[in-house]
Amino acid sequence: MAFAALGWLLVFATATATLAPMSRETIAGTAIGAPPELVQAGQPTTSAKPTAPDPMASLKPGDCVEVPIERARDAAGAPTWKAGTPEPSDCAAVDANYRVLQIGPDPCTDPLYTLESAPKDKSGKARYHLCLTFDWRAGVCYDTTAMDAPSKVDCATRGEHIVQATAVLTNATSGASCPRDGRGAVWVTWRKLELVVCFRGGDNPGT
């Protein structure tokens, strides 16, 4: 048994003596860098997606947006209207119901604005203030069944409260200068907004 053990020791010693010189040899050559698709050890990586650009932030005064308007009730239970999230829209589109008055870091100041959108960043600060007014335009037709929430319609649409705007007067509180046709003229005045919208003489806007 002792002899066998000695034999194993001799074999191990011989192998050590044979392999030891190889560990001190140097192989000449040029180091090859990691391929571009590999990530070097120790470099942090992230899977977070970049924040998508906000299409509303690039709007400018005069541009149009679509704002969904839904029926709702106020704190007292009375019927009212609730504005949804605005989206950019072509001013010629029927759904383009609001127009941009102001956009910037400061709250709305134009007396004509009726809606203000102020999306917040992660800290709770408003990223910008988007100030909107309803998009009244001369020559365009509207359904004014609910005058506080009208909507654009095709002028071929029939209905008691389908009207066509003939003029939009800002900084005004009187419709005396509205265009007249064979049936005269009719208009709606918003004194707080200093806005007058003129319609055809035979129109019957509002309820």
Side-chain angles (χ1 to χ4, degrees):
M1 188 71 174
F3 178 81
L6 180 60
W8 278 109
L9 289 173
L10 289 173
V11 171
F12 180 76
T14 302
T16 302
T18 303
L19 294 174
M22 292 181 65
S23 65
R24 292 192 295 270
E25 291 181 356
T26 300
I27 300 175
T30 302
I32 300 175
E37 66 271 18
L38 298 181
V39 178
Q40 297 289 349
Q43 291 185 349
T45 61
T46 177
S47 59
K49 295 181 179 179
T51 302
D54 182 354
M56 306 300 293
S58 61
L59 292 175
K60 58 186 182 300
D63 288 343
C64 293
V65 299
E66 175 187 352
V67 181
I69 303 294
E70 300 176 355
R71 289 184 180 273
R73 292 191 176 275
D74 60 20
T80 185
W81 300 92
K82 179 181 179 181
T85 302
E87 295 184 359
S89 182
D90 185 337
C91 289
V94 172
D95 293 330
N97 53 351
Y98 280 83
R99 174 168 43 87
V100 179
L101 285 174
Q102 296 172 276
I103 184 168
D106 301 320
C108 302
T109 56
D110 193 307
L112 194 59
Y113 91 92
T114 52
L115 283 180
E116 179 176 5
S117 176
K120 306 291 193 299
D121 59 20
K122 292 182 178 180
S123 67
K125 181 180 178 181
R127 292 188 284 115
Y128 56 82
H129 292 264
L130 179 65
C131 312
L132 306 172
T133 187
F134 189 79
D135 189 42
W136 291 110
R137 291 177 184 267
V140 176
C141 294
Y142 301 86
D143 184 343
T144 60
T145 301
M147 197 66 199
D148 53 348
S151 58
K152 291 180 180 178
V153 295
D154 187 288
C155 286
T157 305
R158 292 182 176 275
E160 183 181 2
H161 300 294
I162 304 301
V163 301
Q164 184 178 41
T166 57
V168 180
L169 312 177
T170 57
N171 301 312
T173 56
S174 171
S177 59
C178 283
R180 284 165 167 72
D181 58 22
R183 301 180 66 178
V186 65
W187 59 86
V188 175
T189 299
W190 289 265
R191 293 190 177 279
K192 183 178 179 180
L193 302 178
E194 297 184 352
L195 172 68
V196 176
V197 180
C198 311
F199 303 103
R200 296 171 301 186
D203 285 344
N204 183 24
T207 55

